[in-house]
Amino acid sequence: MVLAAGPKRTEPSRMSRQLPPQQKTPIRLTDTVVEVKSKFEAEYRRFGLKRNGSGGFQEFYRLLQTIHHIHGVDVLLGYADIHGDLLPINNDENFYKAVSSANPLLRIIITKREDEPVVYGTNSLQRRKKGLGLTGLRTTGSGTIHSKSKSGLMIGPPQNFRQISSIIDVDILPETHRRVRLHKHGTKKPLGFYIRDGVSVRVTPQGVEKVPGVFISRLVRGGLAESTGLLAVNDEILEVNGIDVAGKSLDQVTDMMVANSHNLIVTVKPANQRNNVVHRESKNFMGNSGSVGSAGSTGSVLSHESPSPASQSNPITASSIAEGDSEDEDDDGDIILENDCPTAYNPHLVTKRNSVKLNGESSCSGPHPSAVGRPLPQSMSLPSSIGASLGYSSNTMSGHNGSLASSSQDSMKDDGTELTL
Amino acid sequence: MKRFRRHGHESQRDRLKQELYQFSKTVEHGFPHQPSALGYSPSLQLLAIGTRSGAIKLYGTPGVEFMGLHDENAAVTQVHFMPHQADMVTLLDDNSLHMWTLRRHKGLSELLEIGRFMLMGPPGAPPSVTRVTAVLPHSSGELLLLGTEGGHVFVVEVPGFRELEERNISLDQVSNSVPVDYIGRRNLEHVEALQENPTNPSQVVIGYGRGLMVIWDLENQCAIQHIPATQQLESMWWTEDGSYILSSHSDGSYCRWRVGGQEETEEEEEKEKSDIPYGHFPCKAITKIVQLPTEEGPPFLLFSGGMPRASYGDRHCITVIHSKTHVALDFTSRIIDFFVIRDGLEQTGDPSVLLVLVEEELVVIDLQTEGWPVIQTPYLVPLHSSAITCSQHVSAIPLKLWERIIAVGELQKTHYSKKPWPITGGQNLGPDPPQRDLLLTGHEDGTVRFWDASGVCLYPLYKLSTAAVFHTDADPNDNLNQSAEGEWPPFRKVGCFDPYSDDPRLGIQKIHLCKYSGYLTVAGTAGQILVLELNDEAAEQTVEAKVVDLLQGQEGFRWKGHTQLDVREEPVLFPPGFQPFTLVQCQPPAVVTALNLHSEWKLVAFGTSHGFGLYDYQQKNNVLIKCTLNPSDQLALEGPLSRVKSIKKSLRQSFRRIRRSRVSLRKHHVTNSSKLQEANARLEAELAEMELAPVQRKIEARSSDDSFTGLVRTLYFADTFLSDSSHNTPSLWAGTNGGCVFAYMLRVPAVEHRADEPVTAQPAKEIQLMHRAPVVGVVVLDGHGAPLPEPLEVAHDLARSPDMQGSHHLVVISEEQFKVFTLPKVSSKMKLKLTAVDGSRVRRVGVAWFGSNCKEDYSESGLIFLTNQGDVHVVSLPHVKMQVQYPCIRREDVSGIASCVFTKHGQGFYLISPSEFERFSLSTRFVVEPRCLVEVPLHLDSSNPHRAEPGGATSAHRTTQHSEDAEVLQEIQKSLEGDQTSFLENNVKHAVA
């Protein structure tokens, strides 16, 4: 099943010879040939591929370009595995995996790289077929799946995936705390959690002290908070975007979170302390604080606490703030529509026209067809995904409204209004 | 180097802040909430009111006001001034006694608590033994007689509160002397009343609950006379000549008893009579009775209560009988107490004024003018005669408009007495107000009241009613209550408190007055917008309604809220004052949520939860209608008020029922029942809180699908640069609940063509804030960074014309942050986040001007705002930097926060109760607070010749001996204070002794 690396050099010529594009002869007689059905836009191609004799990914890529006559077009390859999942082909390894898993047909889907990002993952093929391609997101451990094909393995943040959450500032927080960042941008997904008042226990030199605290009371199924897996019911909220919530009412904390909802950073003390990130100095830290079973404490609400978060300064690092500002600063989020007036206001002109009685009315309504009574397009607001898609669609949007309508789901009537960002 | 400079700059700014801002709560306007006790000092000419929350307020001549608060949060049940002194004793619900005094400090008087006292009974005695029910300050000014529930009378020396045990009058002493035939010597019950013989200070009469009255000789510690009344006693009055005692009883009767010996003649025996004034059928108690002589002619008899229980048991009446005149004054709420002011320097002449404190207002009646008209009170005016629904403050009213408003207001006050205000104690030393300020309050019954808010007294100037424009289903029963000929009892309604609105749709929601042109626009609950003009003459005119459909063809909406008001189609006669000439009716008739008037351009902008419109009130047509509704917002469509209204309506009905059936409780039980009520109310509030406050809060970003995103929160006119930076044009700005700002460019024809050329509006800009928080304010700053002046302000030379050279800026104030944009191209320049940082939200915002208290010529503009946490902040302009922050209102006090209104000079008002405004100031330059001085007048005993009688004199002497030390101390103190008068007074006393 797995091809050896050796015969790679000789493959390309053989492969192209062996696989005439429109060949319909049954090839499944032999186990050595894989039937391939590749699709690019609306076109299908069927061809055979030698199971153990074929070359690597690069050759296969070029072969498909040739077959579909799309030389010079940057494309992404994907295949459907036995579970119906759409998985990428972008290196030798997953190419071999694809070939080997063909059962019996190997279905290849080719997409242009400029198009909307293809989402790979569980059930993604079905969803794609249903037109829900954008919603399925999955964080997979392997970064290689979506690394660039040409430059081989790429180290760095994934490009075709959008980050929805992260644990930050692990190095400066005590390991009993967790600072979670939720990226609300783009997704229609609700943040999806509720908070409540509760009682927290702090260990002070005077003894155990009960203080009011704010806790997560519920996670909405399918919400962002739940899907990250980083927040859980009964986690105590200590900070919102770096600001200590001690002494603040539930309503105040709610308002703070809503106000920061586009880039929410909550510092929690997880009710379940078993999955804590243990950083390098953890031993030191535990030794010094002598906290009561901080790492192994049970998931009770009234979990133990060594130093109060208020007394301890856990500043959000400069990097996280800078990141937040550059990505999510709401300045960029404000949508401003400006009506570039067809005629600049010129009192002389208007009065002159009005002096001609017949034209009086038409002159008023003429240059300003939308002046009185005509409602502006109802949906001014761009979809909230705009923050995310801003990166690569801003140039199209500021161009003209036609492309704007296509890139955003809400339609925009051509009203002479211009969008500037 | 750089850092140092920066630091220097910072400290300079800090110093400047101290020069500009200073927070203080200065004065409370209006009528005290839940008054519970009344006191009056004839010598000081001061009036004192105690409240259920433990506050004590003193009022003298207008501008003279003092306020004190007991540390105990208990109701004040009695207030007594010590005769001829600046001291005052209060009794609280918790049985504690407090001594207050007016002390001079830096040329001004201050109200200070100087002592407190709790009566201690013998060990092991039940608490009722020392539970104080009656207080009598002795005319010597040195003794306090305290009657208790146990029937004892304790004698306490003041001001030190020293118990004089040997002088106590125990129940045993009294009952031993009671004749055997008096109802088998049963329990005499509590001490109901104590009175001193006006002609002999050594004699007091003790009235017991069962009805027995005992005249007691304080000198010889013995009973002089027993008056065996058989009915439950309510009150007593010793007539001025000392020869009769009047007693009133719980069955609605009063009796007159002859004082002194058995040797009365037949004729006198006859005078000892009993009467049930509203008799035949069972009557309610007469709770207080007063009889005062006149120089010539019959005396005045005044008593409260005594109404026939079945037919008029719910009336709150005081009956005044003088000669042939008999009037039952019918008050609007429960009577707390009353007193009569008499003519003459020593207040010994004819009765001149009756002053009645009822639960919701103070009523003053002129007894010397034919018809006994009411005197307009200069303070303590019930702000809530109909519930306040909104308010606007207008600073620096031009004199012309001020005089016209006063003139039309005077025409409404013709039924008031011409008599000057009778309470004249103290001197108002405050400076004259620097300017004329108006506070306008809109009320639930569709009225707008104009108040003079320039000084310490919030004085009513004029009342505008908008109800005449509409057909209302006024309660026809109200008219039947007017007194008919020959009705018995002869009722006369007095007072203005009337919380029952005929139609809640009349309620005023927004007010905007242009002080330069005299144009006023008011908007109400049912989507009605009236434009009014001040006219000095009465005029009959038809008000045409212009219907504005704010839905603009949006489909699928069914308004389930209230219907619009029916407009009278026939001409209506409007009295002099503000007369409506235009009515805009929004459709659907939802409550108007934003309103603005531009008198220079003659435009009115209005907004509801469905959209906003612009109306040209010169040509009387619509310029612009914009629907801001989100089609999926069902709540906004159905009329959120429908449900609230029905609850309100049913509440109102049940209140009416309660009011009808309410039985006035006996005096002593009132405190208990009120306590019970309070406890119940607390419990209910807690329950409601538990129900209302869900245990959890949802964390979700705002979206365009939220409810009421289309609700228009603010409207603003500006002459600024919208299209390019070389031409400024008129513009209209609207901010919505969904964080959206709409800007329209207006074309207003030149003045000579204003009447015939149309005004047009053209959409120019739209800003959707990403955080989608409600936009609560929009301000445009000129080239210098100063807010644009009000319309006509420049034309009247009252403001510097705005700088049109430099670039303008737009400040958008949302509940969560302040954001500055450039103009004409809208791009974000700077911002100040509020909610993201501390979790508070902007509730109220205003532009204010702050002057330095050090440098006369330095001033700057800022934004003053109140958060939902009850804090007031100042933010500088144009750099939106936080300057100062002060806690102002409790965050639980939602109605207080909602009622807050700011002035242009850094002051503000908010409701601390339905009937009281608290005034506060953030400015160092504009502070309105009482500054007054009360001096104890020279008192000569000449008024009371009997005092020189041997018995009385020795009594005075003895007490003097007893309190020698205290008095010496007092003397020293007083002479130190430079109070010559009291020094003299003491000398005179000594000389007499």
Side-chain angles (χ1 to χ4, degrees):
Chain A
M1 294 252 284
V2 182
L3 294 178
K8 215 195 244 175
R9 228 171 289 115
T10 54
E11 287 316 323
S13 54
R14 267 175 62 193
M15 226 153 78
S16 58
R17 251 184 284 124
Q18 213 177 341
L19 306 166
Q22 304 296 335
Q23 192 173 3
K24 290 201 172 164
T25 41
I27 319 174
R28 68 173 80 101
L29 302 170
T30 55
D31 275 341
T32 54
V33 177
V34 177
E35 187 182 351
V36 180
K37 180 181 176 187
S38 75
K39 180 188 175 228
F40 174 69
E41 287 174 345
E43 288 182 50
Y44 285 93
R45 299 280 188 275
R46 282 169 172 273
F47 55 90
L49 190 65
K50 203 171 179 190
R51 198 179 279 268
N52 47 11
S54 53
F57 167 70
Q58 291 297 333
E59 282 89 336
F60 183 62
Y61 186 80
R62 265 178 247 126
L63 171 69
L64 286 173
Q65 279 189 325
T66 316
I67 288 170
H68 284 275
H69 306 291
I70 45 169
H71 290 284
V73 181
D74 206 3
V75 292
L76 293 172
L77 307 185
Y79 75 100
D81 78 347
I82 46 168
H83 308 293
D85 289 346
L86 179 66
L87 298 174
I89 304 179
N90 46 20
N91 57 22
D92 288 351
E93 253 181 72
N94 52 24
F95 170 61
Y96 299 144
K97 177 74 182 158
V99 173
S100 63
S101 66
N103 186 30
L105 183 75
L106 175 62
R107 289 198 288 162
I108 302 286
I109 288 143
I110 307 168
T111 45
K112 267 193 197 157
R113 197 180 280 276
E114 291 88 352
D115 281 359
E116 53 178 56
V118 187
V119 178
Y120 303 104
T122 314
N123 283 333
S124 47
L125 195 62
Q126 276 91 330
R127 257 184 261 142
R128 204 177 128 89
K129 279 182 178 165
K130 287 173 199 156
L132 298 168
L134 263 176
T135 51
L137 290 169
R138 196 172 104 177
T139 44
T140 24
S142 148
T144 56
I145 291 179
H146 34 69
S147 61
K148 266 191 176 175
S149 57
K150 275 178 187 165
S151 55
L153 283 175
M154 203 190 87
I155 297 167
Q159 286 197 329
N160 292 326
F161 285 77
R162 194 181 302 137
Q163 197 179 22
I164 58 158
S165 66
S166 50
I167 300 186
I168 57 172
D169 297 340
V170 179
D171 47 343
I172 57 162
L173 285 176
E175 82 273 23
T176 51
H177 297 175
R178 182 186 296 163
R179 188 167 286 165
V180 177
R181 176 179 192 147
L182 297 175
H183 304 255
K184 163 78 182 140
H185 53 192
T187 55
K188 289 269 183 198
K189 236 179 198 183
L191 283 172
F193 66 103
Y194 290 73
I195 58 171
R196 61 165 173 85
D197 278 320
V199 180
S200 174
V201 176
R202 307 226 183 288
V203 179
T204 62
Q206 287 78 36
V208 175
E209 183 194 15
K210 280 189 180 178
V211 290
V214 176
F215 296 86
I216 294 177
S217 62
R218 190 154 84 84
L219 296 179
V220 178
R221 279 196 97 177
L224 193 56
E226 190 211 42
S227 64
T228 64
L230 301 176
L231 298 172
V233 171
N234 291 337
D235 285 2
E236 183 182 357
I237 290 163
L238 304 171
E239 292 174 352
V240 175
N241 286 51
I243 292 155
D244 192 353
V245 301
K248 290 196 160 60
S249 69
L250 186 65
D251 286 334
Q252 265 177 296
V253 178
T254 307
D255 286 339
M256 283 169 76
M257 287 188 165
V258 171
N260 286 307
S261 57
H262 56 277
N263 175 32
L264 182 61
I265 302 170
V266 281
T267 309
V268 294
K269 194 174 67 171
N272 181 354
Q273 293 276 332
R274 288 197 193 102
N275 299 328
N276 287 339
V277 181
V278 180
H279 51 82
R280 286 184 300 282
E281 302 100 313
S282 63
K283 269 186 186 168
N284 270 339
F285 181 81
M286 281 175 73
N288 290 340
S289 69
S291 64
V292 193
S294 53
S297 78
T298 54
S300 68
V301 182
L302 312 175
S303 55
H304 306 285
E305 167 71 7
S306 30
S308 89
S311 66
Q312 217 177 358
S313 62
N314 301 325
I316 288 193
T317 52
S319 67
S320 62
I321 285 186
E323 199 186 341
D325 283 358
S326 61
E327 262 183 45
D328 292 299
E329 196 58 349
D330 50 1
D331 286 347
D332 308 326
D334 292 346
I335 296 161
I336 296 154
L337 289 160
E338 303 212 19
N339 196 345
D340 51 339
C341 301
T343 52
Y345 177 56
N346 187 343
H348 301 292
L349 184 68
V350 177
T351 42
K352 214 200 255 171
R353 282 200 203 160
N354 281 350
S355 63
V356 185
K357 277 201 169 173
L358 254 174
N359 289 349
E361 197 152 8
S362 65
S363 72
C364 267
S365 56
H368 319 302
S370 60
V372 188
R374 179 174 162 189
L376 279 170
Q378 197 50 47
S379 49
M380 277 320 148
S381 56
L382 295 172
S384 48
S385 66
I386 191 152
S389 52
L390 219 65
Y392 36 91
S393 61
S394 64
N395 48 353
T396 37
M397 275 197 280
S398 58
H400 52 94
N401 288 326
S403 65
L404 176 70
S406 67
S407 70
S408 69
Q409 279 146 6
D410 293 53
S411 69
M412 214 61 155
K413 281 174 204 159
D414 192 357
D415 193 49
T417 48
E418 193 185 349
L419 183 81
T420 54
L421 289 149
Chain B
M1 186 66 198
K2 199 178 173 186
R3 184 187 284 167
F4 279 121
R5 209 168 54 226
R6 195 146 172 200
H7 183 257
H9 180 76
E10 287 291 305
S11 63
Q12 197 184 335
R13 183 67 209 170
D14 283 344
R15 198 160 52 242
L16 194 56
K17 278 187 201 169
Q18 281 174 9
E19 288 171 15
L20 292 170
Y21 316 115
Q22 160 200 323
F23 180 77
S24 55
K25 293 187 181 178
T26 52
V27 63
E28 289 170 11
H29 296 301
F31 185 77
H33 188 52
Q34 295 185 314
S36 54
L38 175 70
Y40 176 65
S41 167
S43 58
L44 297 176
Q45 297 249 32
L46 287 181
L47 163 79
I49 294 176
T51 73
R52 269 202 233 168
S53 53
I56 177 94
K57 294 183 164 194
L58 268 65
Y59 296 89
T61 199
V64 174
E65 287 183 18
F66 300 96
M67 148 125 195
L69 190 64
H70 293 90
D71 292 336
E72 295 84 353
N73 193 21
V76 179
T77 53
Q78 293 190 38
V79 179
H80 299 275
F81 281 94
M82 297 306 294
H84 314 299
Q85 294 176 16
D87 294 345
M88 181 175 70
V89 174
T90 56
L91 172 67
L92 301 196
D93 206 14
D94 65 356
N95 205 34
S96 61
L97 286 153
H98 300 256
M99 180 65 77
W100 295 82
T101 194
L102 287 168
R103 190 165 289 166
R104 199 172 156 143
H105 177 71
K106 288 184 186 165
L108 299 174
S109 292
E110 289 177 339
L111 182 64
L112 292 172
E113 189 180 348
I114 53 167
R116 61 184 64 195
F117 173 68
M118 189 82 95
L119 204 53
M120 287 297 171
S128 69
V129 168
T130 53
R131 173 95 203 158
V132 178
T133 52
V135 178
L136 173 67
H138 193 259
S139 62
S140 67
E142 286 143 5
L143 293 180
L144 211 55
L145 277 69
L146 306 171
T148 67
E149 204 169 292
H152 305 282
V153 177
F154 293 83
V155 182
V156 173
E157 191 181 84
V158 284
F161 283 125
R162 193 160 67 87
E163 282 188 68
L164 303 176
E165 273 178 46
E166 70 280 5
R167 304 185 64 174
N168 288 352
I169 308 158
S170 75
L171 188 60
D172 297 335
Q173 274 175 288
V174 173
S175 39
N176 285 339
S177 64
V178 172
V180 193
D181 55 327
Y182 182 74
I183 338 173
R185 304 184 86 172
R186 281 197 299 181
N187 185 10
L188 297 177
E189 294 190 358
H190 61 274
V191 177
E192 176 63 62
L194 285 166
Q195 284 281 322
E196 183 181 329
N197 187 341
T199 59
N200 183 355
S202 68
Q203 287 183 3
V204 291
V205 59
I206 307 164
Y208 293 94
R210 277 206 66 80
L212 179 72
M213 287 164 272
V214 177
I215 300 176
W216 188 263
D217 189 333
L218 290 171
E219 263 331 283
N220 306 314
Q221 303 269 355
C222 62
I224 296 170
Q225 188 183 347
H226 295 90
I227 301 170
T230 49
Q231 279 296 330
Q232 199 78 20
L233 188 70
E234 286 287 330
S235 81
M236 297 185 301
W237 180 259
W238 207 322
T239 57
E240 203 183 39
D241 56 2
S243 51
Y244 291 99
I245 286 173
L246 272 73
S247 66
S248 72
H249 302 277
S250 62
D251 63 343
S253 67
Y254 69 90
C255 306
R256 179 158 42 181
W257 312 87
R258 177 92 176 106
V259 176
Q262 312 297 316
E263 67 276 20
E264 65 232 2
T265 61
E266 284 291 306
E267 191 192 17
E268 279 162 339
E269 189 71 51
E270 192 194 6
K271 274 189 175 175
E272 205 165 273
K273 64 160 190 177
S274 173
D275 186 19
I276 301 179
Y278 298 111
H280 303 305
F281 296 109
C283 289
K284 298 192 68 175
I286 293 179
T287 52
K288 181 171 177 176
I289 187 158
V290 170
Q291 184 183 316
L292 292 165
T294 53
E295 287 282 333
E296 46 214 50
F300 271 90
L301 180 70
L302 305 100
F303 59 86
S304 62
M307 285 292 131
R309 185 176 290 276
S311 37
Y312 300 109
D314 61 337
R315 300 289 183 101
H316 312 286
C317 289
I318 288 180
T319 304
V320 185
I321 302 168
H322 173 62
S323 182
K324 294 267 179 278
T325 321
H326 181 142
V327 171
L329 299 166
D330 185 3
F331 291 94
T332 53
S333 47
R334 195 169 60 85
I335 293 159
I336 307 294
D337 203 354
F338 68 92
F339 64 82
V340 177
I341 298 175
R342 302 168 67 182
D343 274 345
L345 209 64
E346 287 288 331
Q347 302 254 335
T348 48
D350 285 359
S352 67
V353 166
L354 166 66
L355 201 141
V356 186
L357 178 69
V358 297
E359 199 146 60
E360 304 290 356
E361 59 186 322
L362 182 75
V363 182
V364 183
I365 289 157
D366 175 6
L367 295 176
Q368 288 178 329
T369 305
E370 189 64 32
W372 295 342
V374 172
I375 302 175
Q376 165 90 58
T377 58
Y379 42 70
L380 289 167
V381 186
L383 296 169
H384 62 320
S385 54
S386 171
I388 294 178
T389 44
C390 66
S391 38
Q392 192 210 1
H393 184 274
V394 191
S395 305
I397 305 288
L399 184 63
K400 183 87 182 110
L401 179 69
W402 187 259
E403 285 171 343
R404 289 177 72 195
I405 291 173
I406 287 177
V408 294
E410 286 302 320
L411 297 174
Q412 298 180 325
K413 294 177 184 169
T414 47
H415 59 287
Y416 285 116
S417 167
K418 299 280 181 291
K419 208 179 180 74
W421 181 243
I423 295 171
T424 55
Q427 294 167 259
N428 181 4
L429 300 179
D432 282 338
Q435 56 189 25
R436 292 165 296 271
D437 288 354
L438 265 184
L439 182 68
L440 279 68
T441 54
H443 298 262
E444 203 191 13
D445 62 354
T447 58
V448 177
R449 280 156 221 250
F450 290 61
W451 306 87
D452 175 0
S454 325
V456 169
C457 288
L458 195 67
Y459 185 75
L461 293 178
Y462 165 70
K463 177 176 133 181
L464 160 74
S465 176
T466 62
V469 181
F470 306 101
H471 287 284
T472 53
D473 45 343
D475 197 354
N477 292 329
D478 283 351
N479 297 330
L480 296 178
N481 290 339
Q482 297 304 313
S483 61
E485 273 301 305
E487 191 195 17
W488 185 260
F491 287 119
R492 188 189 129 196
K493 273 193 177 295
V494 281
C496 61
F497 178 69
D498 178 21
Y500 307 103
S501 166
D502 295 328
D503 191 335
R505 294 177 296 170
L506 287 169
I508 305 293
Q509 296 294 334
K510 294 285 165 196
I511 306 172
H512 195 111
L513 171 71
C514 172
K515 62 187 176 188
Y516 302 110
S517 62
Y519 280 102
L520 170 73
T521 176
V522 298
T525 306
Q528 75 272 31
I529 297 118
L530 283 165
V531 187
L532 307 99
E533 190 178 15
L534 184 56
N535 186 352
D536 302 322
E537 308 291 329
E540 190 168 19
Q541 59 200 43
T542 314
V543 181
E544 277 176 53
K546 183 92 181 179
V547 176
V548 172
D549 179 20
L550 286 172
L551 288 179
Q552 289 291 293
Q554 287 257 32
E555 280 173 22
F557 303 148
R558 231 177 93 233
W559 173 253
K560 293 179 188 163
H562 47 232
T563 57
Q564 67 183 63
L565 288 157
D566 293 335
V567 184
R568 285 185 196 273
E569 273 153 19
E570 69 279 9
V572 181
L573 180 68
F574 293 103
F578 284 92
Q579 295 168 348
F581 64 92
T582 280
L583 169 66
V584 180
Q585 177 62 55
C586 294
Q587 202 54 256
V591 53
V592 177
T593 54
L595 184 69
N596 207 328
L597 170 81
H598 199 294
S599 45
E600 204 170 340
W601 303 335
K602 301 195 185 309
L603 297 172
V604 168
F606 50 90
T608 71
S609 51
H610 303 104
F612 60 92
L614 183 64
Y615 183 81
D616 173 1
Y617 64 79
Q618 176 152 20
Q619 294 182 25
K620 299 197 176 181
N621 64 16
N622 293 317
V623 178
L624 161 74
I625 301 166
K626 163 81 181 158
C627 179
T628 54
L629 203 60
N630 182 348
S632 61
D633 186 355
Q634 283 304 313
L635 270 176
L637 304 169
E638 291 177 357
L641 285 170
S642 54
R643 210 153 166 215
V644 178
K645 191 186 110 196
S646 63
I647 290 168
K648 214 170 162 187
K649 207 170 176 179
S650 65
L651 266 180
R652 189 176 300 113
Q653 281 163 354
S654 54
F655 272 127
R656 278 189 173 147
R657 261 201 306 279
I658 291 167
R659 193 168 166 236
R660 271 189 217 108
S661 64
R662 196 189 293 155
V663 182
S664 76
L665 297 149
R666 286 199 58 238
K667 222 192 280 172
H668 294 301
H669 298 163
V670 167
T671 54
N672 289 338
S673 72
S674 67
K675 229 197 272 174
L676 194 72
Q677 272 172 11
E678 266 169 30
N680 283 339
R682 254 202 311 276
L683 190 73
E684 264 169 33
E686 276 168 19
L687 278 173
E689 207 172 62
M690 273 159 64
E691 273 173 18
L692 283 175
V695 286
Q696 56 182 6
R697 293 277 187 278
K698 188 177 184 180
I699 305 298
E700 207 46 76
R702 288 190 190 80
S703 83
S704 54
D705 298 334
D706 290 349
S707 288
F708 295 111
T709 51
L711 191 145
V712 178
R713 290 289 290 265
T714 183
L715 289 160
Y716 180 72
F717 287 108
D719 187 358
T720 187
F721 302 95
L722 267 187
S723 58
D724 59 283
S725 46
S726 49
H727 300 98
N728 55 306
T729 57
S731 64
L732 169 69
W733 299 78
T736 72
N737 227 15
C740 199
V741 177
F742 299 92
Y744 282 78
M745 188 191 282
L746 308 179
R747 202 194 70 84
V748 183
V751 180
E752 58 269 27
H753 300 292
R754 182 62 182 82
D756 40 67
E757 285 180 20
V759 180
T760 60
Q762 179 192 356
K765 289 177 198 307
E766 215 178 303
I767 304 166
Q768 173 64 62
L769 300 175
M770 191 198 178
H771 61 282
R772 291 185 184 276
V775 175
V776 290
V778 173
V779 178
V780 172
L781 308 177
D782 72 2
H784 293 302
L788 293 184
E790 287 175 58
L792 293 172
E793 204 169 24
V794 175
H796 285 71
D797 282 336
L798 286 151
R800 190 165 50 89
S801 44
D803 177 24
M804 303 309 262
Q805 302 305 316
S807 57
H808 283 198
H809 286 99
L810 169 73
V811 184
V812 175
I813 302 131
S814 78
E815 283 192 358
E816 292 187 349
Q817 53 181 256
F818 297 75
K819 206 155 190 181
V820 182
F821 296 92
T822 56
L823 282 177
K825 172 132 176 61
V826 176
S827 66
S828 173
K829 202 176 173 202
M830 51 198 153
K831 67 174 169 186
L832 174 70
K833 284 184 176 182
L834 183 73
T835 315
V837 174
D838 69 355
S840 57
R841 301 163 67 87
V842 178
R843 278 281 172 271
R844 296 262 150 187
V845 66
V847 173
W849 175 91
F850 292 94
S852 163
N853 61 351
C854 295
K855 290 175 270 267
E856 195 58 42
D857 56 336
Y858 185 80
S859 69
E860 54 182 65
S861 292
L863 288 173
I864 170 170
F865 69 95
L866 176 76
T867 67
N868 64 342
Q869 303 298 312
D871 297 345
V872 282
H873 302 242
V874 178
V875 159
S876 68
L877 287 176
H879 299 294
V880 289
K881 291 269 188 312
M882 197 72 88
Q883 300 297 305
V884 285
Q885 170 181 3
Y886 305 99
C888 182
I889 311 177
R890 286 181 309 114
R891 70 170 166 222
E892 296 81 15
D893 186 3
V894 178
S895 59
I897 291 172
S899 66
C900 184
V901 55
F902 297 115
T903 79
K904 289 264 182 294
H905 294 91
Q907 298 190 43
F909 300 85
Y910 67 91
L911 288 173
I912 47 174
S913 71
S915 56
E916 283 168 290
F917 270 119
E918 171 84 59
R919 188 182 191 123
F920 63 88
S921 176
L922 278 159
S923 165
T924 51
R925 212 183 272 182
F926 283 88
V927 181
V928 174
E929 57 187 346
R931 297 170 65 82
C932 38
L933 179 64
V934 174
E935 286 177 279
V936 181
L938 182 72
H939 171 66
L940 294 168
D941 268 355
S942 60
S943 63
N944 205 338
H946 300 280
R947 188 140 294 169
E949 272 181 6
T954 44
S955 145
H957 183 69
R958 270 180 60 175
T959 49
T960 316
Q961 291 296 332
H962 277 294
S963 58
E964 194 74 69
D965 292 353
E967 201 164 284
V968 167
L969 274 174
Q970 213 177 345
E971 250 176 52
I972 292 167
Q973 199 174 37
K974 280 181 180 169
S975 58
L976 277 176
E977 284 167 19
D979 199 337
Q980 290 295 326
T981 48
S982 48
F983 192 62
L984 253 175
E985 180 194 282
N986 283 341
N987 281 349
V988 168
K989 245 186 229 166
H990 280 288
V992 170

